[in-house]
Amino acid sequence: MRLIILGPPGSGKGTQAAKLASQINIPHISTGELLRIAVSQGTPLGKQAQTFMESGDLVPDALVIALMRERLGQRDAQRGWILDGFPCNLMQAHALDSLLQIMGQPYGTVIYLDVNIAPLTLRMLQRGRQDDQADIIQQRLAVYQQQTAPLVEFYQRRRCLIHIDGSPAVEVVNGAVQAALKLPVAA
Ligand code: AMP
């Protein structure tokens, strides 16, 4: 199964992707997480990515696409994956298409976690990650509206988008995602 989880920062993408990944037993691939690891290890990628992340901007496409090309080529990714945070603009969506075409792996479904943007700032401030400060959050939300939100229409046109209300409690959203994917209900 190949899934993409789409939604604004703070919508619970990471939480839902992680839950689903353990339920279906496929890797959860989060570009944000991979980038944070690169930054903490001080790798060349991490050094290049750091300033963009600290200001709430997107890391340049070329870096992120190269990172994903490598990650999707790894062995555990051959049986499927859940992408969280990628693609996050049209350029990356097209790059993913080409990558999957070359690999002979069509993607399946895009889950869109729809939430009201207004309460997200509070949710993120409570999370307390390093880039979860009010001004950086505002910038990330603005970047989302401008660059990532158009992907909803992009995938809707391809008829592979599943629209889920992301505002209820974690377990409720997880149940809705499972039902939409027609997964057997977890014990
Ligand atoms: P996230 O963990 O998804 O909230 O991402 C945290 C930060 O990592 C973002 O604010 C961006 O700076 C960077 N980032 C994550 N995914 C991408 C991506 N697909 N393209 C560019 N930058 C990204």
Side-chain angles (χ1 to χ4, degrees), residues 9-10 13 30-33 35-36 49 52-61 64 68 84-89 92 124 127 129 131-132 136 140:
K13 282 195 307 290
S30 153
T31 35
E33 205 48 52
L35 290 167
R36 278 187 289 279
F52 296 99
M53 296 176 76
E54 283 171 352
S55 51
D57 291 319
L58 295 184
V59 172
D61 289 331
V64 178
M68 288 307 281
D84 155 19
F86 184 90
C88 75
N89 61 25
Q92 293 180 12
M124 282 190 272
R127 193 165 64 172
R129 215 169 65 191
D131 57 350
D132 284 338
I136 307 177
R140 278 160 55 211

Side-chain angles (χ1 to χ4, degrees), residues 1-4 26-27 29 72 77 80-83 100 105 107:
M1 191 176 278
R2 296 186 190 89
L3 301 173
I4 296 172
I26 52 176
I29 302 178
L72 294 180
W81 31 251
I82 302 179
L83 301 188
L100 294 181
Q105 298 181 351
Y107 61 77

Side-chain angles (χ1 to χ4, degrees), residues 5 16 38 40 60 67 91 103 107 109 118 124-125 131-133 151 158 165 183-184:
I5 299 216
Q16 293 300 332
S40 73
L67 175 72
M91 172 74 129
M103 296 167 78
Y107 61 77
T109 307
M124 282 190 272
L125 282 171
D131 57 350
D132 284 338
Q133 295 158 34
L151 292 181
R158 295 192 172 182
D165 178 5
L183 296 180

Side-chain angles (χ1 to χ4, degrees), residues 10-28:
S11 59
K13 282 195 307 290
T15 308
Q16 293 300 332
K19 269 192 164 298
L20 212 52
S22 74
Q23 285 157 352
I24 318 178
N25 194 27
I26 52 176
H28 165 204

Side-chain angles (χ1 to χ4, degrees), residues 2-4 6 97 107-112 150-163 180-182:
R2 296 186 190 89
L3 301 173
I4 296 172
L6 206 60
D97 282 349
Y107 61 77
T109 307
V110 180
I111 296 164
Y112 170 46
L151 292 181
V152 173
E153 205 190 315
F154 177 83
Y155 287 119
Q156 211 156 27
R157 285 216 190 114
R158 295 192 172 182
R159 305 193 179 282
C160 61
L161 192 95
I162 296 180
H163 193 280
L181 293 173
K182 301 188 173 59

